[in-house]
Amino acid sequence: MTTALMRVRNLDKRFDTIHACRNVSFELHQGEVLGVVGESGSGKTTLLRCLSGEMLPSAGTVEYDVRMRGLTDIAALSEPERRLLRRTDWGIVHQNPRDGLRMNISAGGNVGERLMAVGARHYGEIRGEAVDWLERVELDQDRIDDAPSTFSGGMQQRLQIARNLVSKPRLVFMDEPTGGLDVSVQARLLDLLRGLVRDLHIAAIVVTHDLAVVRLLADRLMVMRRGEVVESGLTDQVLDDPQHAYTQLLVSSVLQP
Amino acid sequence: MTVATNHNGGTESGYNFAYLDEQTKRMIRRCLLKAVAIPGYQVPFGSREMPLAYGWGTGGIQVTASIIGPDDVLKVIDQGADDTTNAVSIRHFFQRTADVATTEETEDATIIQTRHRVPETAMKEGQILVYQVPQPEPLRQLEPRETECRKIHGYAEYGLMHVKLYEDIARFGHIATSYSYPVLVNGRYVMSPTPIPKFDNPKMDSFPALQLFGAGREKRIYAVPPYTTVKSLDFDDHPFSVQKWDQACALCGAEDSFLDEVILDDRGRKMFVCSDSNYCEQRQAAGYSNPAAAADIAAYQLALQGEADA
Amino acid sequence: MTHMIEVTELHKTFTLHTQGGTSIPVFDQLSLAVAPGECVALYGPSGAGKSTLLRSIYANYRPQSGAILIRHGDRTVDILAAAPREVLDIRRHTMGYVSQFLRVIPRIPAVDVVADPLIQTGVASEVAKERAVALLERLRIPASLHQLAPATFSGGEQQRVNIARCFVVDYPILLLDEPTASLDARNRETVIELIGEAKARGAALVGIFHDDEVREAVADRLFEVETYQAAA
């Protein structure tokens, strides 16, 4: 049995009177995709922020298997160490690509930034890698010198994924990765994500309210309600045989096309 | 601190020596000491209102005012020239408020305040070069958040700086940034060398004189102490290089100086002359010239004549 | 354990919280063992819990008590108690499942849908695709459809893609939920052949076959789920 890539124990997050996350615990292993579902305000995004080190939990620990160090409480890392983690070993895909891209920098520059951040200083190689990644996310390489502001929403999202995966992260956080995209673009993006996650053996934590997205993408599922994980298990178990009243409500509320 | 002890006879009455009050000068000197101690680090300072608009050298003037003494000899250049409006005004300002001697000779000056150039004549130990800085933050156009910029400097996460150079090559095929070309100071802080042409960047490396930078509007001071390494950022396959001209200076024939383009007539005729006026004059006085450009000079003088007549 | 699957004292009740907490007991004290090379047909009227049992074995449903031991490689694992990643590993390498409906990412070509489970076991993608094409051809899916997404296929074609997706890997255990429901006679024959081949290589099969002809052709014994009906 391998050790976990991330181990979360009794994570709690409070904002004054609001208890955003209560007593969340789980383990995530290399190559696993964990979905977190729940309605708006259930604490999904706060949980993701605590996991990705953007916020520190009020109580409990988030441990990550830092290279050469093993499982380490990310709150015990110094800020530059956390920042380094966030731009090398982790990827963060935002719901709105504008939050994850530099809109006035060309597509190639966006993809190359992480490489330059870890010391790549050969223009030709950086560009070669950028071309390669544009191809992997099915973007026309002729667009390499265009700014993302000239891209469609789906293209921006794919560019954001390339920008994150270029550093070969082991863990990617995604907040509603297909939110705001029309359905035909969603399907293509989901297939792309699934393929990349599997080929590169990346672990991912996907926060979404879209149950169809987690069914296709996630191996496991956590259902959150009012900051608490009310149910967790294999994705198809939770969706096909929901045990908790809230999960049953969630599953039965989905519109079937 | 009293006005009387510092106030020399020939200066404007009613002002403290070198215009700024002593408390302000002390504050700025403390910032300067910190800046020298941490080469390339931007020290915030309480920039004062000066009797000229931001963008005209208020930062440089405050630095100069804080370090100048009655025995100093001041030279002020703007785009390399001693005789341009900004240079003349600032020189005049310190003549009136500090009654210091001024000069146009690089060798004779103890303090040189500059906008956009490092003098061609080599500077030496003991001299101070004060730069007027419009934008001290090299990351500004890439990262709009000030808090994030501070962290990037603090943790030396400078990958982003190369993104800018990447963008240049992607767009123009070479690093097209020719002014404010970012440098790494003392192997630690990335610094904007203000809008000097990148032609002057190599001069900053292991410079014998003290280099001080003042940004009045942005309220930042930074410094490069003598003999500090200053390396221009580049890529392995696109190494840093400076501008080159296929002409020599039309007036003095210099081939090693930064040249300005001078338009001679409405038909696009032009000539190139040293931007450093003092350097050019010194060479001309020493007998250097550029016979190939005699016709251009004649046309130029004719044009000047025409302007004078009109 | 000499059996591939060993279900002991299984109990399953659905509780519908959204409908006033209604309880629907399905089965109780259910035990079933399946040996290698054996095909067990689940039998009984609709609503008896055949699909529920099949899905429980696949760990898709979560029974309240009991155990389902699965031989996974050289180990025996209780799939009800196994960690999610172990269940996934069992599904990847040991246990295949043909559901009644094909559920895949839209816009993926049929050949990729079929090759996918094999690729997941570590087989090179070209080899997997070759095998997928062969299987699709055997199930009479015209080559012109291989590069199209199955969403546009007819019900029978989708069902065959589903079967191909399961039989592309030589799983030691196969769970079949009405695999021949909407197939014509020739394709039904092919599925019977495929099942026969799986038995011959020692796979354990549990299936629901509504078609008497198919059931008689493949089943070694019948298992009456209704016998274990829990008291309501």
Side-chain angles (χ1 to χ4, degrees), chain B residues 90-109:
Chain B
I90 293 171
R91 195 160 58 231
H92 192 201
F93 175 79
F94 282 111
Q95 275 169 341
R96 290 171 68 185
T97 59
D99 193 28
V100 291
T102 60
T103 180
E104 295 193 0
E105 306 296 324
T106 299
E107 296 90 331
D108 297 343

Side-chain angles (χ1 to χ4, degrees), chain A residues 79-80 83-84 87 102 104-106 108-109 113 116-117 120-127 130 144-145, chain B residues 141-145 148 151-152 155 157-160 162-163 166-167 169-171 234-238:
Chain A
E79 193 182 16
R83 287 168 64 97
L84 183 69
R87 61 172 197 274
R102 293 190 191 279
N104 54 350
I105 298 289
S106 70
E113 182 177 340
M116 293 182 243
R121 293 293 180 265
H122 191 283
Y123 174 82
E125 287 168 14
I126 294 166
R127 196 164 171 86
I144 189 168
D145 294 330
Chain B
Q141 286 185 347
L142 300 154
E143 178 50 69
R145 291 167 297 181
E148 184 63 15
K151 283 184 181 175
I152 290 173
Y155 304 142
E157 298 170 353
Y158 287 128
L160 189 55
H162 274 83
V163 173
Y166 170 94
E167 290 290 287
I169 304 174
R171 232 167 257 166
D234 60 3
F235 285 105
D236 297 344
D237 50 345
H238 285 266

